Amino acid sequence: MSIETIFRSPSDFITKVRHETEKSRYVLALFGIAPIIIALIWFVVATEGAALIFIGIYGLFIWLLLWFVGKVVKAALLMNLVEVNANNFSNIHQMIENAKSTLKYEKTISAYVWSGSQVWLTILHHLDRKIFLIEAAFLEDNPSNEVLNFSVMFHVARLKTKSEYFALLTKIISGIEKLWFLNILLYPFERATVYTADRVAMIYSGKSDYAQQAFSREMVGTELGSSVNIEAIAEQGVKCKGFFAWLARSYSPFPGYSHRFVELNKFSQSESSLMMERHQP
């Protein structure tokens, strides 16, 4: 089956490969934000609508603050990192455009190559999900186009997956995540979208091997990536059970790599994956 046939209707395709827990975790996230929405409605009713002025002013202030900080951070990115465009890392730029076209994702995605400080990842997680940071070490030794395609499509597919839900509620969830204290209820949905995006990217790139190579590079770097034993990493994921494993991932929007190995391995052996696998010439 050709890649064009598989992705003819991106929304239908994502529905077919969506992780089994994603919808239930979305409902959990809605339950997480429900008390805040109910409290705001009660506040408005109790004050006979006067609270709307306060909520509007406060909301505008927060939006302007985030907008201002976001602009400053993006300016800092342009000053300190290499922007991916038609002149720099043009192959990756084209891959991003191809992935957006394939999934019919129309929003702008900025990409930068970075090295060193983890602070960029932390800041951008709280400000803008549509910025793709590629670690310089990942690009060393010229990874194959299939490995790059997996990483690029993963990022685009995760944005596309979340865009399939009601936009306003998804934005409210993303906004409340910045408050941190409810993330134990909100982040399970974020982690489920990672599993879904892994599946989309694996089928797009062609084989689960390319996903494994990408994970290995991201975990230990280019030089040691080829030394990683995939089966052993999967065994690590199986061991990650119980209270302490749950606690370790509760406040992270990304599941651990070992869990991603396990989940993707299960899917790669499933009937739905085999039916849609892209056959290489």
Side-chain angles (χ1 to χ4, degrees), residues 77 80-85 88-97 109-118 120-121 124 130-140 143 147-156 214 217-218 222 257:
L77 289 174
N80 294 284
L81 307 184
V82 179
E83 183 181 25
V84 174
N85 53 39
N88 280 315
F89 302 103
S90 57
N91 60 324
I92 299 176
H93 172 72
Q94 190 59 52
M95 287 179 182
I96 293 173
E97 294 304 311
I109 297 177
S110 301
Y112 299 87
V113 176
W114 69 290
S115 179
S117 177
Q118 189 80 2
W120 294 115
L121 291 178
L124 289 175
K130 293 187 289 295
I131 294 180
F132 182 21
L133 289 185
I134 308 165
E135 189 171 5
F138 184 87
L139 300 178
E140 292 176 358
V147 172
L148 285 175
N149 265 321
F150 174 86
S151 296
V152 168
M153 177 53 90
F154 165 78
H155 185 80
V156 178
R217 281 174 173 266
E218 291 173 7
T222 300
Y257 280 107

Short mmCIF file of all heavy atoms in Angstrom, two decimals, residues 77 80-85 88-97 109-118 120-121 124 130-140 143 147-156 214 217-218 222 257:
data_model
loop_
_atom_site.label_atom_id
_atom_site.label_comp_id
_atom_site.label_asym_id
_atom_site.label_seq_id
_atom_site.Cartn_x
_atom_site.Cartn_y
_atom_site.Cartn_z
N LEU A 77 15.90 32.88 20.43
CA LEU A 77 16.19 31.72 19.59
C LEU A 77 16.88 32.14 18.30
O LEU A 77 17.86 31.52 17.86
CB LEU A 77 14.89 30.98 19.26
CG LEU A 77 14.20 30.22 20.39
CD1 LEU A 77 12.87 29.67 19.92
CD2 LEU A 77 15.09 29.09 20.90
N ASN A 80 20.51 33.01 18.99
CA ASN A 80 21.43 32.02 19.55
C ASN A 80 21.42 30.67 18.87
O ASN A 80 22.37 29.89 19.02
CB ASN A 80 21.12 31.81 21.04
CG ASN A 80 21.40 33.04 21.87
OD1 ASN A 80 22.55 33.35 22.15
ND2 ASN A 80 20.35 33.76 22.24
N LEU A 81 20.35 30.35 18.12
CA LEU A 81 20.26 29.05 17.48
C LEU A 81 20.21 29.21 15.97
O LEU A 81 20.09 30.32 15.46
CB LEU A 81 19.00 28.30 17.97
CG LEU A 81 18.82 28.16 19.49
CD1 LEU A 81 17.60 27.32 19.80
CD2 LEU A 81 20.07 27.56 20.14
N VAL A 82 20.31 28.11 15.27
CA VAL A 82 20.25 28.13 13.80
C VAL A 82 18.84 27.78 13.36
O VAL A 82 18.34 26.69 13.65
CB VAL A 82 21.26 27.14 13.19
CG1 VAL A 82 21.16 27.16 11.66
CG2 VAL A 82 22.68 27.48 13.63
N GLU A 83 18.21 28.71 12.66
CA GLU A 83 16.85 28.45 12.19
C GLU A 83 16.89 27.52 10.98
O GLU A 83 17.71 27.69 10.07
CB GLU A 83 16.17 29.76 11.80
CG GLU A 83 14.72 29.58 11.35
CD GLU A 83 14.08 30.90 10.95
OE1 GLU A 83 14.81 31.83 10.55
OE2 GLU A 83 12.84 30.99 11.03
N VAL A 84 15.98 26.53 10.98
CA VAL A 84 15.86 25.63 9.84
C VAL A 84 15.02 26.32 8.77
O VAL A 84 13.87 26.69 9.01
CB VAL A 84 15.19 24.31 10.27
CG1 VAL A 84 14.92 23.42 9.05
CG2 VAL A 84 16.06 23.57 11.28
N ASN A 85 15.61 26.50 7.60
CA ASN A 85 14.88 27.14 6.50
C ASN A 85 15.46 26.67 5.18
O ASN A 85 16.23 25.69 5.14
CB ASN A 85 14.95 28.67 6.62
CG ASN A 85 16.37 29.19 6.76
OD1 ASN A 85 17.30 28.68 6.11
ND2 ASN A 85 16.58 30.19 7.62
N ASN A 88 19.41 26.95 5.50
CA ASN A 88 20.09 26.17 6.52
C ASN A 88 19.30 24.90 6.82
O ASN A 88 18.10 24.99 7.12
CB ASN A 88 20.25 26.98 7.82
CG ASN A 88 21.41 27.95 7.75
OD1 ASN A 88 22.50 27.58 7.30
ND2 ASN A 88 21.18 29.18 8.17
N PHE A 89 19.98 23.75 6.69
CA PHE A 89 19.31 22.46 6.89
C PHE A 89 18.07 22.37 6.00
O PHE A 89 16.97 22.05 6.45
CB PHE A 89 18.94 22.27 8.37
CG PHE A 89 20.11 22.35 9.30
CD1 PHE A 89 20.34 23.49 10.07
CD2 PHE A 89 21.01 21.28 9.40
CE1 PHE A 89 21.43 23.57 10.92
CE2 PHE A 89 22.10 21.35 10.26
CZ PHE A 89 22.31 22.50 11.02
N SER A 90 18.29 22.66 4.73
CA SER A 90 17.17 22.71 3.79
C SER A 90 16.46 21.36 3.65
O SER A 90 15.27 21.31 3.36
CB SER A 90 17.67 23.18 2.41
OG SER A 90 18.69 22.32 1.93
N ASN A 91 17.21 20.26 3.85
CA ASN A 91 16.57 18.94 3.75
C ASN A 91 15.53 18.75 4.86
O ASN A 91 14.44 18.20 4.62
CB ASN A 91 17.62 17.83 3.80
CG ASN A 91 18.43 17.82 5.09
OD1 ASN A 91 18.73 18.90 5.64
ND2 ASN A 91 18.79 16.65 5.56
N ILE A 92 15.86 19.22 6.06
CA ILE A 92 14.90 19.10 7.18
C ILE A 92 13.73 20.05 6.96
O ILE A 92 12.57 19.70 7.23
CB ILE A 92 15.60 19.41 8.52
CG1 ILE A 92 16.73 18.40 8.76
CG2 ILE A 92 14.59 19.36 9.67
CD1 ILE A 92 17.53 18.67 10.00
N HIS A 93 14.02 21.23 6.44
CA HIS A 93 12.95 22.19 6.13
C HIS A 93 11.95 21.56 5.15
O HIS A 93 10.73 21.67 5.34
CB HIS A 93 13.56 23.45 5.53
CG HIS A 93 12.56 24.42 4.98
ND1 HIS A 93 11.74 25.18 5.79
CD2 HIS A 93 12.23 24.74 3.70
CE1 HIS A 93 10.95 25.93 5.03
NE2 HIS A 93 11.23 25.68 3.76
N GLN A 94 12.47 20.90 4.13
CA GLN A 94 11.58 20.27 3.15
C GLN A 94 10.81 19.11 3.77
O GLN A 94 9.63 18.89 3.45
CB GLN A 94 12.39 19.78 1.96
CG GLN A 94 11.54 19.32 0.78
CD GLN A 94 10.62 20.43 0.27
OE1 GLN A 94 11.06 21.53 -0.01
NE2 GLN A 94 9.33 20.12 0.17
N MET A 95 11.45 18.37 4.67
CA MET A 95 10.76 17.27 5.35
C MET A 95 9.59 17.78 6.19
O MET A 95 8.52 17.15 6.24
CB MET A 95 11.75 16.50 6.24
CG MET A 95 12.72 15.64 5.49
SD MET A 95 13.86 14.79 6.61
CE MET A 95 14.90 13.92 5.43
N ILE A 96 9.79 18.90 6.86
CA ILE A 96 8.72 19.48 7.66
C ILE A 96 7.55 19.89 6.77
O ILE A 96 6.38 19.61 7.08
CB ILE A 96 9.24 20.70 8.46
CG1 ILE A 96 10.25 20.24 9.52
CG2 ILE A 96 8.07 21.44 9.13
CD1 ILE A 96 10.94 21.39 10.24
N GLU A 97 7.87 20.53 5.65
CA GLU A 97 6.81 20.94 4.71
C GLU A 97 6.08 19.72 4.14
O GLU A 97 4.85 19.74 3.99
CB GLU A 97 7.41 21.79 3.59
CG GLU A 97 7.97 23.12 4.04
CD GLU A 97 6.94 23.96 4.78
OE1 GLU A 97 5.81 24.12 4.26
OE2 GLU A 97 7.26 24.45 5.88
N ILE A 109 5.08 25.99 11.58
CA ILE A 109 5.97 25.31 12.53
C ILE A 109 7.38 25.86 12.31
O ILE A 109 7.93 25.76 11.21
CB ILE A 109 5.97 23.79 12.31
CG1 ILE A 109 4.57 23.21 12.57
CG2 ILE A 109 7.00 23.12 13.23
CD1 ILE A 109 4.48 21.71 12.31
N SER A 110 7.95 26.43 13.35
CA SER A 110 9.33 26.91 13.29
C SER A 110 10.25 25.83 13.83
O SER A 110 9.90 25.11 14.77
CB SER A 110 9.49 28.19 14.12
OG SER A 110 8.62 29.21 13.65
N ALA A 111 11.42 25.70 13.25
CA ALA A 111 12.37 24.69 13.69
C ALA A 111 13.75 25.32 13.87
O ALA A 111 14.15 26.20 13.10
CB ALA A 111 12.43 23.54 12.69
N TYR A 112 14.46 24.85 14.90
CA TYR A 112 15.80 25.37 15.19
C TYR A 112 16.70 24.19 15.57
O TYR A 112 16.26 23.22 16.18
CB TYR A 112 15.77 26.36 16.36
CG TYR A 112 14.92 27.58 16.10
CD1 TYR A 112 13.56 27.58 16.39
CD2 TYR A 112 15.48 28.74 15.57
CE1 TYR A 112 12.78 28.70 16.16
CE2 TYR A 112 14.70 29.86 15.33
CZ TYR A 112 13.35 29.83 15.62
OH TYR A 112 12.56 30.94 15.39
N VAL A 113 17.96 24.31 15.21
CA VAL A 113 18.97 23.35 15.65
C VAL A 113 19.70 23.95 16.83
O VAL A 113 20.16 25.09 16.78
CB VAL A 113 19.96 23.03 14.51
CG1 VAL A 113 21.07 22.10 15.02
CG2 VAL A 113 19.23 22.39 13.34
N TRP A 114 19.77 23.19 17.91
CA TRP A 114 20.34 23.71 19.15
C TRP A 114 21.37 22.73 19.70
O TRP A 114 21.42 21.57 19.31
CB TRP A 114 19.25 23.96 20.19
CG TRP A 114 18.63 22.68 20.70
CD1 TRP A 114 17.81 21.84 20.01
CD2 TRP A 114 18.79 22.09 21.98
NE1 TRP A 114 17.44 20.77 20.78
CE2 TRP A 114 18.03 20.90 22.00
CE3 TRP A 114 19.51 22.45 23.12
CZ2 TRP A 114 17.98 20.07 23.13
CZ3 TRP A 114 19.44 21.63 24.24
CH2 TRP A 114 18.69 20.46 24.23
N SER A 115 22.19 23.21 20.62
CA SER A 115 23.18 22.37 21.26
C SER A 115 23.43 22.89 22.67
O SER A 115 23.50 24.10 22.89
CB SER A 115 24.50 22.39 20.48
OG SER A 115 25.49 21.60 21.11
N GLY A 116 23.53 21.95 23.59
CA GLY A 116 23.91 22.37 24.94
C GLY A 116 22.77 22.44 25.92
O GLY A 116 22.23 21.44 26.37
N SER A 117 22.34 23.67 26.25
CA SER A 117 21.46 23.89 27.38
C SER A 117 20.07 23.28 27.20
O SER A 117 19.41 23.45 26.19
CB SER A 117 21.31 25.40 27.63
OG SER A 117 20.41 25.62 28.68
N GLN A 118 19.62 22.57 28.24
CA GLN A 118 18.28 21.98 28.28
C GLN A 118 17.23 23.04 28.53
O GLN A 118 16.04 22.79 28.37
CB GLN A 118 18.24 20.93 29.41
CG GLN A 118 16.99 20.07 29.45
CD GLN A 118 17.03 18.94 28.44
OE1 GLN A 118 18.02 18.77 27.72
NE2 GLN A 118 15.97 18.17 28.36
N TRP A 120 16.22 25.54 26.87
CA TRP A 120 15.35 25.86 25.74
C TRP A 120 14.13 24.94 25.70
O TRP A 120 13.02 25.38 25.46
CB TRP A 120 16.11 25.76 24.42
CG TRP A 120 17.20 26.78 24.26
CD1 TRP A 120 18.53 26.53 24.18
CD2 TRP A 120 17.04 28.20 24.19
NE1 TRP A 120 19.23 27.72 24.05
CE2 TRP A 120 18.33 28.75 24.06
CE3 TRP A 120 15.94 29.06 24.23
CZ2 TRP A 120 18.54 30.11 23.96
CZ3 TRP A 120 16.16 30.42 24.13
CH2 TRP A 120 17.44 30.93 23.99
N LEU A 121 14.38 23.65 25.96
CA LEU A 121 13.26 22.70 25.95
C LEU A 121 12.25 23.03 27.04
O LEU A 121 11.04 22.97 26.84
CB LEU A 121 13.79 21.28 26.15
CG LEU A 121 14.61 20.68 25.01
CD1 LEU A 121 15.10 19.29 25.39
CD2 LEU A 121 13.80 20.61 23.74
N LEU A 124 10.31 26.39 26.11
CA LEU A 124 9.40 26.27 24.98
C LEU A 124 8.23 25.35 25.27
O LEU A 124 7.16 25.52 24.71
CB LEU A 124 10.15 25.79 23.74
CG LEU A 124 11.10 26.83 23.15
CD1 LEU A 124 11.90 26.23 22.01
CD2 LEU A 124 10.33 28.04 22.66
N LYS A 130 4.53 24.72 18.88
CA LYS A 130 4.74 24.68 17.44
C LYS A 130 6.16 25.07 17.06
O LYS A 130 6.42 25.48 15.93
CB LYS A 130 3.71 25.57 16.73
CG LYS A 130 2.29 25.05 16.86
CD LYS A 130 1.30 25.83 16.02
CE LYS A 130 1.05 27.22 16.57
NZ LYS A 130 0.40 27.17 17.89
N ILE A 131 7.08 24.97 18.01
CA ILE A 131 8.50 25.18 17.72
C ILE A 131 9.20 23.84 17.89
O ILE A 131 9.09 23.19 18.92
CB ILE A 131 9.12 26.23 18.66
CG1 ILE A 131 8.51 27.61 18.37
CG2 ILE A 131 10.63 26.27 18.48
CD1 ILE A 131 9.07 28.71 19.24
N PHE A 132 9.89 23.42 16.84
CA PHE A 132 10.56 22.13 16.80
C PHE A 132 12.05 22.34 17.03
O PHE A 132 12.73 22.95 16.22
CB PHE A 132 10.28 21.49 15.44
CG PHE A 132 10.87 20.13 15.24
CD1 PHE A 132 11.21 19.32 16.31
CD2 PHE A 132 11.06 19.63 13.95
CE1 PHE A 132 11.74 18.06 16.11
CE2 PHE A 132 11.59 18.38 13.73
CZ PHE A 132 11.93 17.59 14.82
N LEU A 133 12.56 21.85 18.15
CA LEU A 133 13.98 21.96 18.46
C LEU A 133 14.68 20.64 18.13
O LEU A 133 14.27 19.58 18.60
CB LEU A 133 14.20 22.29 19.94
CG LEU A 133 13.81 23.69 20.39
CD1 LEU A 133 14.20 23.88 21.85
CD2 LEU A 133 14.50 24.75 19.55
N ILE A 134 15.72 20.73 17.33
CA ILE A 134 16.46 19.54 16.93
C ILE A 134 17.86 19.64 17.53
O ILE A 134 18.60 20.59 17.25
CB ILE A 134 16.57 19.45 15.40
CG1 ILE A 134 15.17 19.56 14.77
CG2 ILE A 134 17.25 18.15 14.99
CD1 ILE A 134 15.19 19.84 13.28
N GLU A 135 18.23 18.68 18.34
CA GLU A 135 19.54 18.73 18.98
C GLU A 135 20.63 18.46 17.94
O GLU A 135 20.51 17.55 17.11
CB GLU A 135 19.63 17.71 20.11
CG GLU A 135 20.88 17.86 20.94
CD GLU A 135 20.87 17.01 22.19
OE1 GLU A 135 19.92 16.22 22.34
OE2 GLU A 135 21.80 17.13 22.99
N ALA A 136 21.68 19.26 17.99
CA ALA A 136 22.76 19.15 17.00
C ALA A 136 23.38 17.75 17.00
O ALA A 136 23.72 17.22 15.93
CB ALA A 136 23.83 20.21 17.29
N ALA A 137 23.51 17.16 18.18
CA ALA A 137 24.11 15.83 18.26
C ALA A 137 23.31 14.79 17.49
O ALA A 137 23.85 13.80 16.99
CB ALA A 137 24.23 15.40 19.73
N PHE A 138 22.00 15.01 17.37
CA PHE A 138 21.14 14.08 16.64
C PHE A 138 21.49 14.06 15.15
O PHE A 138 21.32 13.05 14.47
CB PHE A 138 19.68 14.48 16.82
CG PHE A 138 18.68 13.54 16.19
CD1 PHE A 138 18.22 12.44 16.90
CD2 PHE A 138 18.21 13.74 14.90
CE1 PHE A 138 17.31 11.56 16.32
CE2 PHE A 138 17.30 12.88 14.32
CZ PHE A 138 16.85 11.77 15.03
N LEU A 139 22.00 15.20 14.65
CA LEU A 139 22.27 15.33 13.22
C LEU A 139 23.70 14.94 12.85
O LEU A 139 24.04 14.90 11.67
CB LEU A 139 22.01 16.77 12.77
CG LEU A 139 20.59 17.29 12.98
CD1 LEU A 139 20.50 18.75 12.55
CD2 LEU A 139 19.58 16.44 12.24
N GLU A 140 24.54 14.68 13.86
CA GLU A 140 25.92 14.30 13.57
C GLU A 140 25.95 12.95 12.85
O GLU A 140 25.09 12.10 13.05
CB GLU A 140 26.72 14.23 14.86
CG GLU A 140 26.93 15.60 15.51
CD GLU A 140 27.64 15.50 16.85
OE1 GLU A 140 27.93 14.36 17.27
OE2 GLU A 140 27.87 16.55 17.47
N PRO A 143 22.34 11.18 9.88
CA PRO A 143 21.34 10.11 9.98
C PRO A 143 20.58 9.96 8.67
O PRO A 143 20.48 10.90 7.89
CB PRO A 143 20.41 10.62 11.10
CG PRO A 143 20.59 12.11 11.11
CD PRO A 143 22.03 12.33 10.74
N VAL A 147 15.24 8.08 9.23
CA VAL A 147 15.31 8.42 10.65
C VAL A 147 14.88 9.87 10.87
O VAL A 147 14.12 10.18 11.79
CB VAL A 147 16.74 8.18 11.20
CG1 VAL A 147 16.87 8.72 12.62
CG2 VAL A 147 17.07 6.69 11.17
N LEU A 148 15.37 10.77 10.01
CA LEU A 148 14.96 12.17 10.10
C LEU A 148 13.46 12.31 9.85
O LEU A 148 12.78 13.08 10.55
CB LEU A 148 15.73 13.01 9.08
CG LEU A 148 17.19 13.32 9.42
CD1 LEU A 148 17.84 14.04 8.24
CD2 LEU A 148 17.29 14.17 10.68
N ASN A 149 12.95 11.57 8.89
CA ASN A 149 11.52 11.63 8.59
C ASN A 149 10.69 11.19 9.78
O ASN A 149 9.62 11.75 10.04
CB ASN A 149 11.18 10.76 7.37
CG ASN A 149 11.15 11.55 6.08
OD1 ASN A 149 10.68 12.69 6.06
ND2 ASN A 149 11.65 10.97 5.01
N PHE A 150 11.18 10.19 10.50
CA PHE A 150 10.45 9.74 11.70
C PHE A 150 10.36 10.87 12.72
O PHE A 150 9.29 11.17 13.25
CB PHE A 150 11.11 8.52 12.34
CG PHE A 150 10.47 8.14 13.65
CD1 PHE A 150 9.36 7.31 13.67
CD2 PHE A 150 10.96 8.64 14.86
CE1 PHE A 150 8.74 6.99 14.87
CE2 PHE A 150 10.35 8.33 16.06
CZ PHE A 150 9.23 7.50 16.07
N SER A 151 11.50 11.50 13.01
CA SER A 151 11.54 12.56 14.02
C SER A 151 10.69 13.76 13.62
O SER A 151 9.97 14.34 14.44
CB SER A 151 12.98 13.00 14.28
OG SER A 151 13.73 11.94 14.83
N VAL A 152 10.78 14.14 12.35
CA VAL A 152 10.01 15.28 11.85
C VAL A 152 8.51 14.97 11.90
O VAL A 152 7.71 15.76 12.41
CB VAL A 152 10.44 15.65 10.42
CG1 VAL A 152 9.45 16.63 9.79
CG2 VAL A 152 11.84 16.27 10.44
N MET A 153 8.12 13.81 11.37
CA MET A 153 6.71 13.46 11.33
C MET A 153 6.14 13.29 12.74
O MET A 153 4.99 13.62 12.99
CB MET A 153 6.50 12.19 10.51
CG MET A 153 5.05 11.72 10.48
SD MET A 153 3.85 13.01 9.98
CE MET A 153 3.83 12.77 8.21
N PHE A 154 6.96 12.80 13.67
CA PHE A 154 6.48 12.67 15.06
C PHE A 154 6.02 14.02 15.59
O PHE A 154 4.94 14.14 16.18
CB PHE A 154 7.58 12.11 15.96
CG PHE A 154 7.28 12.29 17.43
CD1 PHE A 154 6.38 11.47 18.07
CD2 PHE A 154 7.87 13.34 18.15
CE1 PHE A 154 6.08 11.66 19.41
CE2 PHE A 154 7.57 13.54 19.48
CZ PHE A 154 6.67 12.68 20.12
N HIS A 155 6.82 15.05 15.36
CA HIS A 155 6.49 16.38 15.88
C HIS A 155 5.21 16.91 15.21
O HIS A 155 4.31 17.42 15.89
CB HIS A 155 7.65 17.33 15.63
CG HIS A 155 7.45 18.69 16.21
ND1 HIS A 155 7.65 18.97 17.54
CD2 HIS A 155 7.04 19.86 15.65
CE1 HIS A 155 7.38 20.24 17.77
NE2 HIS A 155 7.00 20.80 16.64
N VAL A 156 5.13 16.78 13.90
CA VAL A 156 3.96 17.29 13.18
C VAL A 156 2.73 16.47 13.54
O VAL A 156 1.63 17.02 13.74
CB VAL A 156 4.20 17.25 11.65
CG1 VAL A 156 2.97 17.74 10.90
CG2 VAL A 156 5.41 18.10 11.29
N ALA A 214 16.07 6.43 15.83
CA ALA A 214 15.84 7.80 16.28
C ALA A 214 15.84 7.87 17.80
O ALA A 214 16.47 8.76 18.40
CB ALA A 214 14.51 8.32 15.74
N ARG A 217 19.43 7.52 19.16
CA ARG A 217 20.20 8.76 19.00
C ARG A 217 19.79 9.80 20.04
O ARG A 217 20.63 10.50 20.60
CB ARG A 217 19.98 9.34 17.60
CG ARG A 217 20.77 8.67 16.50
CD ARG A 217 20.40 9.19 15.13
NE ARG A 217 21.29 8.67 14.10
CZ ARG A 217 22.37 9.27 13.63
NH1 ARG A 217 22.71 10.45 14.11
NH2 ARG A 217 23.12 8.72 12.70
N GLU A 218 18.50 9.90 20.30
CA GLU A 218 18.01 10.89 21.25
C GLU A 218 18.42 10.53 22.68
O GLU A 218 18.66 11.42 23.51
CB GLU A 218 16.49 11.01 21.16
CG GLU A 218 16.03 11.64 19.85
CD GLU A 218 14.52 11.60 19.69
OE1 GLU A 218 13.83 11.20 20.65
OE2 GLU A 218 14.02 11.96 18.60
N THR A 222 24.76 10.21 18.93
CA THR A 222 25.06 9.54 17.67
C THR A 222 26.10 8.44 17.81
O THR A 222 25.93 7.33 17.30
CB THR A 222 25.56 10.57 16.65
OG1 THR A 222 24.56 11.56 16.45
CG2 THR A 222 25.86 9.92 15.32
N TYR A 257 11.43 6.89 27.26
CA TYR A 257 11.78 6.23 26.01
C TYR A 257 11.54 4.72 26.09
O TYR A 257 11.13 4.10 25.11
CB TYR A 257 13.23 6.52 25.65
CG TYR A 257 13.44 7.87 25.01
CD1 TYR A 257 14.04 8.91 25.71
CD2 TYR A 257 13.03 8.10 23.70
CE1 TYR A 257 14.23 10.15 25.13
CE2 TYR A 257 13.21 9.33 23.10
CZ TYR A 257 13.81 10.36 23.83
OH TYR A 257 13.99 11.58 23.23
#
